[in-house]
């Protein structure tokens, strides 16, 4: 088995460090946005279920875009936040060109699949 070793001239460069900082800021910023949305829902007593995805209902189509932004409780949010920040930063830093295509596909594609094939509940 062969593992590629990063070139230290690149990984130690100022440009590379700036790209890593940008990737971390973007991924962390998205997690902060999710936290702010959850805090707003919690603080104002808003029900997140209208923004959930309801399979095979026309009114549930909006959930394809909004459902990844809402969480049922703080434990659910925290369970998603750490992996999202870690994997998001790694993908944005290591595969910036692919991330521009993959992240929207993952964000919207999974919602579309759930809308088409999900069980009859709010997701």
């Amino acid at each position: 088995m062969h593992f590629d070793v990063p070139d230290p001239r690149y990984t130690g460069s100022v440009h590379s460090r700036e790209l890593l900082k940008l990737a971390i800021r973007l991924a962390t910023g998205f997690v902060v946005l999710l936290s702010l949305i959850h805090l707003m829902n919690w603080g104002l007593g808003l029900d997140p279920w209208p923004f959930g995805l309801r399979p095979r209902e026309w009114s549930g189509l909006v959930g394809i875009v909004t459902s990844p932004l809402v969480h049922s409780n703080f434990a659910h949010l925290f369970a998603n936040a750490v992996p999202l920040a870690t994997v998001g930063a790694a993908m944005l830093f290591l595969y910036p060109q692919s991330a521009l295509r993959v992240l929207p596909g993952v964000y919207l594609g999974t919602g579309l699949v759930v809308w088409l094939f999900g069980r009859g509940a709010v997701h």
Side-chain angles (χ1 to χ4, degrees), residues 91 95-106:
M91 184 165 189
Y95 307 102
Q97 297 301 320
S98 296
L100 296 175
R101 292 185 300 272
V102 170
L103 292 177
V106 168

Side-chain angles (χ1 to χ4, degrees), residues 15-52:
H15 178 69
S16 178
R17 278 179 284 184
E18 291 302 317
L19 290 176
L20 178 59
K21 287 178 189 177
L22 176 62
I24 291 171
R25 279 194 302 267
L26 289 172
T28 304
F30 187 69
V31 170
V32 168
L33 173 68
L34 295 177
S35 300
L36 290 173
I37 290 169
H38 187 70
L39 283 170
M40 183 182 70
N41 286 339
W42 176 75
L44 297 175
L46 300 176
D47 185 11
W49 298 120
F51 301 104

Side-chain angles (χ1 to χ4, degrees), residues 25-93:
R25 279 194 302 267
L26 289 172
T28 304
F30 187 69
V31 170
V32 168
L33 173 68
L34 295 177
S35 300
L36 290 173
I37 290 169
H38 187 70
L39 283 170
M40 183 182 70
N41 286 339
W42 176 75
L44 297 175
L46 300 176
D47 185 11
W49 298 120
F51 301 104
L53 194 148
R54 290 179 300 286
R56 294 169 304 284
E57 292 181 21
W58 291 111
S59 60
L61 279 172
V62 72
I64 292 173
V65 175
T66 59
S67 65
L69 302 174
V70 294
H71 293 79
S72 59
N73 54 45
F74 286 103
H76 179 208
L77 176 64
F78 184 73
N80 288 337
V82 175
L84 181 61
T86 305
V87 173
M91 184 165 189
L92 288 167
F93 176 64

